[in-house]
Amino acid sequence: IDAEVVAVANISGDIVEAANALSFKSDLLVGAGQSNMASSNSQAAGGDLTPNPAVFLWNHAGSAWEVWTPADGYVAYLAGSTETANNILFQAAKYRQRKTNRAQYCILNAQGGQSIDKFVPNTADLYVDLQAQVTAALASAEMVALSKTEIDRFFYFQGEADSAKGNYGDLVDDLIDQLNPETGYDNGLLLIGFELVPQVIQSDYWANAGLGRSTA
């Protein structure tokens, strides 16, 4: 079968192009922030925690993609660890996979009880950790095979640590400006921001500002 193997190798680029055209191309999602992203509910609190074999999580410690299995627990950021319980990115990725029939590759970088100061400026530890994960994940064999060079969605969930921070909006703008020139962040990338408590400063920002800033 040597001839057939060589023939397939010769058209591998065409196969990838055809798969992309048929919407088989996978999505790359990033989830960052604080406790609301890291683990919004304990596993006992409910939610469908059944793994989807087409939803993957980047394991930075092993430099590998793994089927996202919340029950396993996971070292989600380089500065510490968190359980990947019923968190927002896991559920969003499963929903997106069902709707698009595309595999979802996820990078999670969040730490409970922390301020946005952990992401701004670009020397802050969680920001540095996030970019290290993105760089390594994009260089993985899976992303190379998919010709994947850019992130498709960036989810940012703020916790209550900054509920009284008067310059919160300015810091989010700074975060966006930091991300723009980074590898993997297209200027048209959709940044999706959330805050789970409607009365605080973060919610005012996400509800009233940034509508003209579709870039991350």
Side-chain angles (χ1 to χ4, degrees):
I1 64 171
D2 290 351
E4 285 76 7
V5 171
V6 171
V8 171
N10 288 340
I11 63 168
S12 60
D14 294 333
I15 293 173
V16 171
E17 184 176 349
N20 292 344
L22 291 170
S23 297
F24 296 154
K25 187 171 183 178
S26 302
D27 295 329
L28 181 58
L29 312 179
V30 170
Q34 286 71 40
S35 57
N36 291 343
M37 173 58 73
S39 181
S40 295
N41 297 291
S42 67
Q43 295 189 35
D48 182 5
L49 299 183
T50 306
N52 180 320
V55 172
F56 302 90
L57 185 64
W58 177 249
N59 182 338
H60 70 78
S63 297
W65 294 103
E66 301 174 348
V67 173
W68 194 339
T69 307
D72 288 348
Y74 184 73
V75 179
Y77 47 86
L78 303 181
S81 65
T82 186
E83 292 295 312
T84 57
N86 184 19
N87 79 48
I88 301 300
L89 185 60
F90 176 67
Q91 300 297 345
K94 290 207 300 182
Y95 178 82
R96 187 176 175 91
Q97 196 284 323
R98 292 195 302 270
K99 290 295 184 181
T100 65
N101 201 34
R102 296 194 297 266
Q104 304 294 306
Y105 290 84
C106 305
I107 299 170
L108 180 65
N109 185 270
Q111 185 176 3
Q114 304 302 312
S115 167
I116 193 173
D117 296 332
K118 286 281 190 173
F119 287 91
V120 179
N122 61 5
T123 53
D125 57 357
L126 285 184
Y127 184 83
V128 172
D129 293 346
L130 173 62
Q131 299 317 313
Q133 290 201 60
V134 169
T135 299
L138 284 172
S140 68
E142 291 85 348
M143 296 296 101
V144 172
L146 289 165
S147 300
K148 197 74 178 172
T149 60
E150 294 178 347
I151 297 162
D152 294 289
R153 291 291 185 275
F154 188 101
F155 297 83
Y156 186 82
F157 260 50
Q158 179 67 46
E160 282 69 55
D162 290 332
S163 58
K165 189 181 286 293
N167 65 336
Y168 176 78
D170 293 335
L171 291 172
V172 175
D173 288 343
D174 290 343
L175 175 60
I176 292 171
D177 289 338
Q178 286 175 198
L179 292 171
N180 267 323
E182 297 281 6
T183 300
Y185 295 85
D186 179 80
N187 282 345
L189 174 64
L190 181 63
L191 178 96
I192 303 168
F194 296 88
E195 162 56 40
L196 301 184
V197 181
Q199 309 92 302
V200 297
I201 287 173
Q202 301 99 295
S203 293
D204 287 340
Y205 176 88
W206 295 114
N208 301 309
L211 293 179
R213 298 198 69 174
S214 61
T215 64

